[in-house]
Amino acid sequence: MSTTQPIRSMDEIEELKNYFYLEKPNLRNYALICLGMNSALRIGDLLSLKWENVYNFSERCFLKHISITEQKTGKRTRIALNHSAVEALQVYQDSLGHLEPADYLFPGKYSFSHLSRSQAFRIIKSAGQDLHFETDISCHSLRKTFGYHAWKSGAQPVVLMNVFNHSSFQITKRYLGIEQDDKDQLFLDTNL
């Protein structure tokens, strides 16, 4: 069984987003991918979001933060909604009819339930296969992709540990696949 990897290539990130935006249009899946990569939420927390978690209906604007209690840890967390996440949510929202605050952000087959974890897994995995990505991706790849690119952009290790609720940076490095990247670079740089 292989370990889920982050999407390291910015080109592949764009391909994945465009897959559901342009190639096989499905704005729910597009918003799921974008919000997943920009929030670092676990898939269970992402799928349980309702419109009231991201949108202020009285002021008719997106919230600045998602505030939820994480299912796995039971801890309260606040996640800033960045431009990319809001843009994807806006495109998705514009494609929908009337919304209620308690409507699930990512509805499943029936309007009273959210998309299932297994369906989300199939959506993401099959997109990666259709796009011929080098490594397999899954729902957890979205969370890991956020961390990997935050790390590469200079995020402080202690902040990443806090985002992922890890007890050490060694765990975070292994989680993001950074240790393997470091080893690969060593071999590529040593030309004897």
Side-chain angles (χ1 to χ4, degrees):
M1 182 166 142
S2 65
T3 302
T4 297
Q5 294 296 313
I7 304 168
R8 290 172 171 80
S9 161
M10 289 303 292
D11 289 339
E12 284 187 349
I13 289 172
E14 287 305 310
E15 286 178 48
L16 181 60
K17 288 168 37 178
N18 286 331
Y19 182 79
F20 291 115
Y21 189 63
L22 301 170
E23 202 171 315
K24 290 192 176 179
N26 183 317
L27 296 180
R28 179 200 64 189
N29 296 350
Y30 168 70
L32 175 69
I33 297 290
C34 292
L35 188 57
M37 284 192 291
N38 284 286
S39 69
L41 285 170
R42 289 179 185 86
I43 194 65
D45 293 326
L46 192 62
L47 295 176
S48 67
L49 290 175
K50 297 185 176 185
W51 278 100
E52 64 195 354
N53 297 120
V54 297
Y55 191 76
N56 182 327
F57 282 83
S58 61
E59 294 184 24
R60 302 175 85 162
C61 65
F62 283 93
L63 300 172
K64 296 197 183 307
H65 292 88
I66 296 172
S67 295
I68 62 164
T69 300
E70 293 179 352
Q71 294 172 1
K72 183 175 180 178
T73 64
K75 294 180 181 176
R76 192 85 180 139
T77 189
R78 277 176 46 109
I79 298 160
L81 281 172
N82 66 22
H83 176 73
S84 295
V86 170
E87 190 175 80
L89 289 169
Q90 183 68 65
V91 167
Y92 174 42
Q93 184 187 48
D94 290 346
S95 74
L96 301 172
H98 177 74
L99 293 171
E100 292 292 329
D103 290 346
Y104 283 108
L105 192 56
F106 305 112
K109 187 174 182 179
Y110 306 103
S111 60
F112 60 85
S113 67
H114 59 71
L115 191 64
S116 71
R117 293 170 66 100
S118 59
Q119 185 60 26
F121 175 81
R122 283 191 295 273
I123 288 166
I124 294 166
K125 185 166 183 70
S126 66
Q129 289 172 338
D130 287 354
L131 293 166
H132 307 289
F133 284 2
E134 186 177 325
T135 59
D136 286 338
I137 60 169
S138 69
C139 300
H140 214 56
S141 295
L142 303 180
R143 179 172 160 87
K144 288 184 172 188
T145 297
F146 171 85
Y148 180 82
H149 288 279
W151 164 254
K152 289 298 185 181
S153 296
Q156 294 297 313
V158 70
V159 176
L160 287 173
M161 287 171 47
N162 185 279
V163 165
F164 293 123
N165 289 314
H166 291 162
S167 58
S168 77
F169 188 61
Q170 285 306 110
I171 295 169
T172 303
K173 281 180 71 171
R174 192 171 54 248
Y175 182 81
L176 300 177
I178 293 168
E179 285 183 342
Q180 186 61 49
D181 285 356
D182 292 343
K183 287 185 210 175
D184 290 350
Q185 196 59 53
L186 174 67
F187 285 105
L188 293 172
D189 288 347
T190 306
N191 289 291
L192 304 173

